[in-house]
Amino acid sequence: MFGDVVRDALAVATGVGRAPLAGGRLPRPVIEIVERDDGLVSAVMAEGYLAEPDRWPAHDLRALDRVRGRVLDIGTGAGRIALALQSRGVPVTGLDISPGAIEVCRVRGVRDLVHATVDQHAGAGHRYDTFLLLGNNLGLLEGRERAPAFLSALARMAGPGARVIAQGTDPYGTTDPIQVAYHKDNRGRGRLGGQLRLRLRYRELATDWFDYLVCSPEELAQLVAGSGWRVADIDNTDAPYYLATLTAIG
Amino acid sequence: MFGDVVRDALAVATGVGRAPLAGGRLPRPVIEIVERDDGLVSAVMAEGYLAEPDRWPAHDLRALDRVRGRVLDIGTGAGRIALALQSRGVPVTGLDISPGAIEVCRVRGVRDLVHATVDQHAGAGHRYDTFLLLGNNLGLLEGRERAPAFLSALARMAGPGARVIAQGTDPYGTTDPIQVAYHKDNRGRGRLGGQLRLRLRYRELATDWFDYLVCSPEELAQLVAGSGWRVADIDNTDAPYYLATLTAIG
């Protein structure tokens, strides 16, 4: 599904490949639809996945300035982060579970790509100094069940002094009754308030339902406790968005 | 549902009113989601409902040049067509079934507004010289069952020499297997190929399922036969989009 989104977005942006058409003839923008299990729908303009750094939110640029050593870009998507690092001469590997995303990254010039989950890749014996979870990819921690295994996989790939730089969003600043009710309902079921149950839809395709975590820095600190990582810094400049820097313990 | 879409789009465009926010704090674009009964989803940028004439497709401008006399703008939405006619000094009434759309039209300065279906309004004794169905609103004919009643309601409101100017889209130029299969399945169930079964979704809201017709000029001619109207002209310049002009018989 996501592969189709970024492939179509690339075709629209470059004019190369099969661009999606309206009425069978006219180009149309690529919009990814996010459906939440309470029926809330939202939409994401896919062109953002291809954006050049001058159109990025400021925290993405600050994240890149924090990078050092060998980098694993987790959930590399259409490769915007990996390409920017490559152009700075930084050794970077793009990791994604979407074969379509990997293909788009290759077309766009990302040199080092891995099609795998972090768990699968952790067995391959590579070591990294920086793990990037940008574009809200802190969400890949999912919740209390998945977070320990995810962080443990990163710890197994961590070189000495490694760090995780993850972008999250604090969901609790809102007074929107829909969001407040969703957070409350989640907690009533033993989940984190912002543990979103989502599926992505694009044209006739839909992913399975999956958890994606939107959490506060305080919740993150609790999830990280005992994982082999600790929260070394929270950059809250663009709240409700934040950049969390985790460092390996010991 | 549609009222919330255009209200939020107005708030984003003008900075006046409650604009929708991402993460409870940052503005986000308003995108309306269209779900079809085969699972196909698409998305519409709501800013188009507020667009000034310099951003319209050319056929909308040509439609306005065909207008004469008193005008009923059917499915006036956020009032872009009605406002343009008003500024040309044309007497125009905006009709919509969405109370939120009517409210947005009023805020934007549309002077003559009716909250009703065409059937309801046909009983009110008004007469018009031009009926506009722009922005794909030929779709309001729905299909073989609804079209006669819809056209009959317009005929009851028609002054001498009245015309309907309707914008449609010919759906059959595509080779997209999803669309071709949908058209075939529709025909197998006795429906017109492009008789879409849709619902609109926005945030937590969804309309009921409804039919919306996308038909060829040939199909339109068959629907119009016996209705008190005839197809006088098809302007195909922007195919697959077209402007159909119907004139009253007798």
Side-chain angles (χ1 to χ4, degrees):
Chain A
M1 208 287 319
F2 184 73
D4 279 44
V5 169
V6 291
R7 203 153 35 211
D8 285 359
L10 182 65
V12 168
T14 62
V16 179
R18 255 178 87 117
L21 301 174
R25 300 189 209 172
L26 303 175
R28 59 172 173 74
V30 177
I31 300 177
E32 177 185 33
I33 290 164
V34 183
E35 192 173 12
R36 203 168 68 179
D37 62 347
D38 62 344
L40 189 78
V41 287
S42 54
V44 176
M45 303 292 293
E47 62 191 22
Y49 295 123
L50 305 174
E52 298 294 325
D54 59 357
R55 292 186 44 233
W56 290 0
H59 49 258
D60 282 348
L61 297 168
R62 291 201 303 278
L64 260 53
D65 290 337
R66 289 178 176 237
V67 159
R68 59 182 187 206
R70 295 189 53 82
V71 178
L72 184 65
D73 180 30
I74 299 169
T76 192
R80 66 182 175 94
I81 301 288
L83 286 168
L85 287 172
Q86 266 186 197
S87 77
R88 293 185 182 196
V90 174
V92 57
T93 300
L95 179 84
D96 212 287
I97 61 165
S98 161
I102 294 291
E103 178 196 325
V104 164
C105 282
R106 204 176 302 282
V107 168
R108 296 184 77 207
V110 180
R111 288 189 292 265
D112 190 15
L113 290 161
V114 176
H115 175 224
T117 64
V118 291
D119 316 79
Q120 290 160 347
H121 191 51
H126 299 281
R127 291 288 173 280
Y128 301 95
D129 304 297
T130 304
F131 300 92
L132 287 179
L133 291 164
L134 301 184
N136 256 325
N137 272 345
L138 182 59
L140 298 175
L141 293 186
E142 292 186 15
R144 290 192 194 95
E145 290 192 16
R146 170 68 177 148
F150 188 94
L151 292 168
S152 159
L154 303 196
R156 293 201 296 285
M157 295 187 273
R163 46 171 59 181
V164 178
I165 301 168
Q167 187 256 306
T169 305
D170 185 337
Y172 305 122
T174 183
T175 56
D176 181 339
I178 297 167
Q179 305 296 357
V180 171
Y182 189 78
H183 298 156
K184 187 179 168 193
D185 182 64
N186 253 342
R187 290 195 189 99
R189 294 188 288 149
R191 296 160 61 87
L192 290 170
Q195 189 171 349
L196 312 182
R197 187 83 181 154
L198 304 176
R199 63 172 182 169
L200 306 180
R201 297 179 66 178
Y202 180 62
R203 293 182 49 77
E204 82 284 13
L205 305 173
T207 65
D208 290 333
W209 291 93
F210 60 91
D211 282 349
Y212 197 74
L213 183 63
V214 186
C215 71
S216 66
E218 295 71 27
E219 289 172 325
L220 176 63
Q222 289 170 19
L223 286 171
V224 167
S227 72
W229 299 93
R230 66 178 187 88
V231 178
D233 183 65
I234 298 288
D235 167 356
N236 243 326
T237 316
D238 302 339
Y241 305 121
Y242 60 88
L243 278 180
T245 301
L246 315 184
T247 50
I249 297 175
Chain B
M1 207 284 325
F2 184 74
D4 278 44
V5 169
V6 289
R7 205 153 32 213
D8 284 359
L10 182 66
V12 168
T14 62
V16 178
R18 255 179 85 117
L21 300 173
R25 300 189 210 171
L26 302 175
R28 59 172 172 73
V30 177
I31 300 176
E32 177 185 33
I33 290 163
V34 183
E35 191 172 12
R36 204 168 68 179
D37 61 346
D38 62 343
L40 188 76
V41 287
S42 54
V44 176
M45 303 292 292
E47 62 192 20
Y49 295 123
L50 305 175
E52 299 293 326
D54 59 357
R55 291 185 45 232
W56 291 0
H59 49 259
D60 282 347
L61 297 168
R62 291 201 303 278
L64 260 53
D65 291 336
R66 289 178 175 236
V67 160
R68 60 184 185 203
R70 293 187 54 81
V71 178
L72 184 65
D73 181 31
I74 299 168
T76 194
R80 65 183 177 95
I81 301 289
L83 286 169
L85 287 172
Q86 266 187 197
S87 77
R88 291 184 184 198
V90 174
V92 56
T93 300
L95 180 84
D96 212 287
I97 61 165
S98 161
I102 294 291
E103 177 196 326
V104 164
C105 283
R106 205 176 301 281
V107 168
R108 295 183 77 207
V110 180
R111 287 189 291 266
D112 190 16
L113 291 161
V114 176
H115 174 225
T117 64
V118 291
D119 317 80
Q120 291 161 345
H121 191 51
H126 299 283
R127 291 289 174 278
Y128 301 95
D129 305 297
T130 304
F131 301 92
L132 288 180
L133 292 163
L134 301 185
N136 257 324
N137 271 345
L138 182 59
L140 298 175
L141 293 185
E142 294 185 13
R144 289 193 195 93
E145 291 191 17
R146 170 69 177 148
F150 188 95
L151 292 167
S152 161
L154 302 196
R156 292 202 295 287
M157 294 186 274
R163 45 172 61 180
V164 178
I165 302 168
Q167 187 255 307
T169 306
D170 185 337
Y172 305 122
T174 182
T175 56
D176 181 338
I178 296 167
Q179 306 296 357
V180 172
Y182 189 77
H183 299 156
K184 187 178 168 194
D185 182 64
N186 254 341
R187 290 195 190 97
R189 293 187 288 149
R191 295 159 62 87
L192 290 169
Q195 188 169 351
L196 312 181
R197 187 84 182 153
L198 305 177
R199 64 172 180 169
L200 307 180
R201 297 179 67 179
Y202 178 62
R203 295 185 45 80
E204 81 283 15
L205 305 173
T207 66
D208 290 334
W209 291 92
F210 61 92
D211 281 350
Y212 198 74
L213 183 62
V214 186
C215 69
S216 67
E218 296 72 25
E219 289 172 324
L220 176 63
Q222 290 171 19
L223 287 172
V224 167
S227 73
W229 300 92
R230 66 178 188 86
V231 178
D233 184 64
I234 298 288
D235 167 357
N236 243 326
T237 316
D238 302 338
Y241 305 120
Y242 60 88
L243 278 180
T245 301
L246 315 184
T247 50
I249 297 175

